[in-house]
Amino acid sequence: MKAAVLVESKKPLKIENLELPELSFGQVHVKLKYSGICGAQINEIDAVKGPDKFLPHLLGHEGSGIVIKVGEGVTTLEEGDHVVLHWRPSKGIESQTPKYKMGNSTVNAGWVTTFNEEAIISENRLTRIPKDFDMKVATLFGCAVTTAFGVINNDAMVKVGQSIVIFGLGGVGLNLVQAASMVSANPIIGIDILDEKISMAKKFGLSYGINSTKVDLEKELNKILKGNDADVVIDTTGITNVIEKAYEITHKDGKTILVGVPKKGENVSIYTLPLHFKKILKGSEGGDCKPDEDIPRFINLINDSKMTLDGIITHEFKLDEINSAIDLFRQNKAGRILIDLDG
Ligand SMILES: [Zn+2]
């Protein structure tokens, strides 16, 4: 089985042939169809949390695939099921993490990994989907879509007509715009440094796009919000001065939600007094999403044409080309990028 292995931090991934371990209690053997790429993997490659003690290891936490075999104790899935692979825990057993063989050495892996053609996954990182549902779209339920909708529904609890500002219109940013639009936030303001991303976000319900490299951000916001602060402000960039700005432009009774994570050692400076009253500053943990409850809702919405993810996947790569896919991700210009693992 081919896999992209992180052998050394801050270096390209290596495509290697790995041997799968035997299935143990609560584990499921999955043949991957597609994987997404998100900021979390880039952070792992770049070792932003400090030295990586698990090297060499596998990566990836959103994918789709087909169950080949279930291990002892697994009750929620059976052979042949189509599944979403997600990083948030759900129903079922949380198994041990698997160890793969690469020649004579061991490759570590978490409960879920998706930069590999086949994987041993913990039962609680898998959710069954209908067999006729598009596997490419399903991949996005592993992280991007579920996180974004969770941020809007569970963290920000946006009310109809509340104003929202979203910093960064990348993969999660686009889905945040979509979710904000579906709960009727108004206006929905997106800030980015690339015009292409702003025009893409407009297709998903963005009311106003601000290119912060071209205009005075505060002046523009003032104009759009008629001098008011925003009810909800979400940062997806993890850039410290952007986080500070996001907090600053949040209404005194509003919420600042952090989705992006700064590098270790990069600190933000804020005036905390408003937090003693009604202002809320919160870091989101995957939008508190519950995959087994949320994924079926999204599938229903899509099947009933109340939601579409058409156009959100802008690029596809084969596993062998994964380093090019990662380079493209780093340029910040793509929508969602998929890795096709059905080689
Ligand atoms: Zn992710």
Side-chain angles (χ1 to χ4, degrees), residues 37-41 61-62 87 142-144 147 172 336:
I37 299 182
C38 86
Q41 287 87 58
H61 69 197
E62 65 173 352
W87 67 273
C143 176
T147 299
V172 172
R336 287 320 274 198

PDB file of all heavy atoms in Angstrom, residues 37-41 61-62 87 142-144 147 172 336, ligand 1:
ATOM      1  N   ILE A  37      -6.916  18.146   2.076  1.00  0.00           N
ATOM      2  CA  ILE A  37      -5.717  18.682   2.733  1.00  0.00           C
ATOM      3  C   ILE A  37      -6.199  19.878   3.526  1.00  0.00           C
ATOM      4  O   ILE A  37      -6.996  20.665   3.019  1.00  0.00           O
ATOM      5  CB  ILE A  37      -4.668  19.192   1.729  1.00  0.00           C
ATOM      6  CG1 ILE A  37      -4.197  18.059   0.819  1.00  0.00           C
ATOM      7  CG2 ILE A  37      -3.489  19.825   2.449  1.00  0.00           C
ATOM      8  CD1 ILE A  37      -3.119  18.499  -0.160  1.00  0.00           C
ATOM      9  N   CYS A  38      -5.742  20.006   4.761  1.00  0.00           N
ATOM     10  CA  CYS A  38      -6.092  21.237   5.460  1.00  0.00           C
ATOM     11  C   CYS A  38      -4.911  21.764   6.237  1.00  0.00           C
ATOM     12  O   CYS A  38      -3.858  21.137   6.305  1.00  0.00           O
ATOM     13  CB  CYS A  38      -7.355  21.075   6.297  1.00  0.00           C
ATOM     14  SG  CYS A  38      -7.093  20.424   7.920  1.00  0.00           S
ATOM     15  N   GLY A  39      -5.081  22.922   6.831  1.00  0.00           N
ATOM     16  CA  GLY A  39      -4.004  23.608   7.535  1.00  0.00           C
ATOM     17  C   GLY A  39      -3.358  22.756   8.614  1.00  0.00           C
ATOM     18  O   GLY A  39      -2.165  22.904   8.909  1.00  0.00           O
ATOM     19  N   ALA A  40      -4.142  21.835   9.196  1.00  0.00           N
ATOM     20  CA  ALA A  40      -3.607  21.008  10.281  1.00  0.00           C
ATOM     21  C   ALA A  40      -2.418  20.163   9.809  1.00  0.00           C
ATOM     22  O   ALA A  40      -1.444  19.984  10.538  1.00  0.00           O
ATOM     23  CB  ALA A  40      -4.710  20.113  10.842  1.00  0.00           C
ATOM     24  N   GLN A  41      -2.499  19.657   8.574  1.00  0.00           N
ATOM     25  CA  GLN A  41      -1.389  18.835   8.068  1.00  0.00           C
ATOM     26  C   GLN A  41      -0.160  19.701   7.783  1.00  0.00           C
ATOM     27  O   GLN A  41       0.972  19.291   8.014  1.00  0.00           O
ATOM     28  CB  GLN A  41      -1.804  18.095   6.780  1.00  0.00           C
ATOM     29  CG  GLN A  41      -2.773  16.949   7.026  1.00  0.00           C
ATOM     30  CD  GLN A  41      -4.214  17.423   7.026  1.00  0.00           C
ATOM     31  OE1 GLN A  41      -4.680  17.987   6.066  1.00  0.00           O
ATOM     32  NE2 GLN A  41      -4.919  17.212   8.124  1.00  0.00           N
ATOM     33  N   HIS A  61      -6.558  14.006   7.815  1.00  0.00           N
ATOM     34  CA  HIS A  61      -7.664  13.700   8.720  1.00  0.00           C
ATOM     35  C   HIS A  61      -9.047  13.948   8.124  1.00  0.00           C
ATOM     36  O   HIS A  61     -10.027  13.999   8.843  1.00  0.00           O
ATOM     37  CB  HIS A  61      -7.479  14.382  10.079  1.00  0.00           C
ATOM     38  CG  HIS A  61      -7.606  15.877  10.061  1.00  0.00           C
ATOM     39  ND1 HIS A  61      -7.131  16.648  11.091  1.00  0.00           N
ATOM     40  CD2 HIS A  61      -8.132  16.723   9.170  1.00  0.00           C
ATOM     41  CE1 HIS A  61      -7.395  17.913  10.815  1.00  0.00           C
ATOM     42  NE2 HIS A  61      -8.004  17.986   9.662  1.00  0.00           N
ATOM     43  N   GLU A  62      -9.116  14.098   6.805  1.00  0.00           N
ATOM     44  CA  GLU A  62     -10.451  14.102   6.191  1.00  0.00           C
ATOM     45  C   GLU A  62     -10.387  13.278   4.917  1.00  0.00           C
ATOM     46  O   GLU A  62      -9.501  13.456   4.088  1.00  0.00           O
ATOM     47  CB  GLU A  62     -10.982  15.519   5.932  1.00  0.00           C
ATOM     48  CG  GLU A  62     -10.225  16.338   4.927  1.00  0.00           C
ATOM     49  CD  GLU A  62     -10.913  17.668   4.602  1.00  0.00           C
ATOM     50  OE1 GLU A  62     -12.053  17.903   5.025  1.00  0.00           O
ATOM     51  OE2 GLU A  62     -10.290  18.476   3.903  1.00  0.00           O
ATOM     52  N   TRP A  87     -11.693  13.525  11.820  1.00  0.00           N
ATOM     53  CA  TRP A  87     -10.799  13.563  12.984  1.00  0.00           C
ATOM     54  C   TRP A  87     -11.546  13.724  14.291  1.00  0.00           C
ATOM     55  O   TRP A  87     -11.044  13.364  15.344  1.00  0.00           O
ATOM     56  CB  TRP A  87      -9.730  14.640  12.826  1.00  0.00           C
ATOM     57  CG  TRP A  87     -10.246  16.060  12.831  1.00  0.00           C
ATOM     58  CD1 TRP A  87     -10.691  16.755  11.751  1.00  0.00           C
ATOM     59  CD2 TRP A  87     -10.354  16.940  13.954  1.00  0.00           C
ATOM     60  NE1 TRP A  87     -11.076  18.018  12.130  1.00  0.00           N
ATOM     61  CE2 TRP A  87     -10.877  18.161  13.470  1.00  0.00           C
ATOM     62  CE3 TRP A  87     -10.053  16.830  15.319  1.00  0.00           C
ATOM     63  CZ2 TRP A  87     -11.104  19.261  14.307  1.00  0.00           C
ATOM     64  CZ3 TRP A  87     -10.282  17.922  16.146  1.00  0.00           C
ATOM     65  CH2 TRP A  87     -10.797  19.111  15.637  1.00  0.00           C
ATOM     66  N   GLY A 142     -15.228  15.387   6.397  1.00  0.00           N
ATOM     67  CA  GLY A 142     -14.240  14.922   7.380  1.00  0.00           C
ATOM     68  C   GLY A 142     -13.673  16.045   8.221  1.00  0.00           C
ATOM     69  O   GLY A 142     -13.241  15.843   9.351  1.00  0.00           O
ATOM     70  N   CYS A 143     -13.662  17.255   7.652  1.00  0.00           N
ATOM     71  CA  CYS A 143     -13.130  18.393   8.418  1.00  0.00           C
ATOM     72  C   CYS A 143     -13.747  19.706   7.961  1.00  0.00           C
ATOM     73  O   CYS A 143     -14.464  20.346   8.723  1.00  0.00           O
ATOM     74  CB  CYS A 143     -11.603  18.438   8.314  1.00  0.00           C
ATOM     75  SG  CYS A 143     -10.854  19.858   9.127  1.00  0.00           S
ATOM     76  N   ALA A 144     -13.475  20.114   6.712  1.00  0.00           N
ATOM     77  CA  ALA A 144     -13.799  21.481   6.269  1.00  0.00           C
ATOM     78  C   ALA A 144     -15.245  21.890   6.530  1.00  0.00           C
ATOM     79  O   ALA A 144     -15.507  22.888   7.203  1.00  0.00           O
ATOM     80  CB  ALA A 144     -13.514  21.610   4.769  1.00  0.00           C
ATOM     81  N   THR A 147     -16.477  21.393  10.309  1.00  0.00           N
ATOM     82  CA  THR A 147     -15.874  22.406  11.183  1.00  0.00           C
ATOM     83  C   THR A 147     -16.564  23.751  10.973  1.00  0.00           C
ATOM     84  O   THR A 147     -17.000  24.392  11.933  1.00  0.00           O
ATOM     85  CB  THR A 147     -14.361  22.561  10.890  1.00  0.00           C
ATOM     86  OG1 THR A 147     -13.725  21.312  11.141  1.00  0.00           O
ATOM     87  CG2 THR A 147     -13.730  23.630  11.757  1.00  0.00           C
ATOM     88  N   VAL A 172     -11.793  26.532   4.766  1.00  0.00           N
ATOM     89  CA  VAL A 172     -12.764  26.640   5.859  1.00  0.00           C
ATOM     90  C   VAL A 172     -13.525  27.961   5.748  1.00  0.00           C
ATOM     91  O   VAL A 172     -14.725  28.014   5.983  1.00  0.00           O
ATOM     92  CB  VAL A 172     -12.071  26.501   7.239  1.00  0.00           C
ATOM     93  CG1 VAL A 172     -13.041  26.796   8.366  1.00  0.00           C
ATOM     94  CG2 VAL A 172     -11.511  25.093   7.411  1.00  0.00           C
ATOM     95  N   ARG A 336     -10.841  23.955  -2.138  1.00  0.00           N
ATOM     96  CA  ARG A 336     -10.400  22.699  -1.516  1.00  0.00           C
ATOM     97  C   ARG A 336      -9.636  21.870  -2.534  1.00  0.00           C
ATOM     98  O   ARG A 336     -10.005  21.817  -3.713  1.00  0.00           O
ATOM     99  CB  ARG A 336     -11.599  21.877  -1.017  1.00  0.00           C
ATOM    100  CG  ARG A 336     -12.303  22.404   0.224  1.00  0.00           C
ATOM    101  CD  ARG A 336     -11.445  22.952   1.301  1.00  0.00           C
ATOM    102  NE  ARG A 336     -10.931  21.990   2.270  1.00  0.00           N
ATOM    103  CZ  ARG A 336     -10.443  22.343   3.465  1.00  0.00           C
ATOM    104  NH1 ARG A 336     -10.441  23.600   3.849  1.00  0.00           N
ATOM    105  NH2 ARG A 336      -9.971  21.450   4.282  1.00  0.00           N
TER     106      ARG A 336
HETATM  107 ZN    ZN B   1      -8.751  19.711   8.927  1.00  0.00          ZN
END
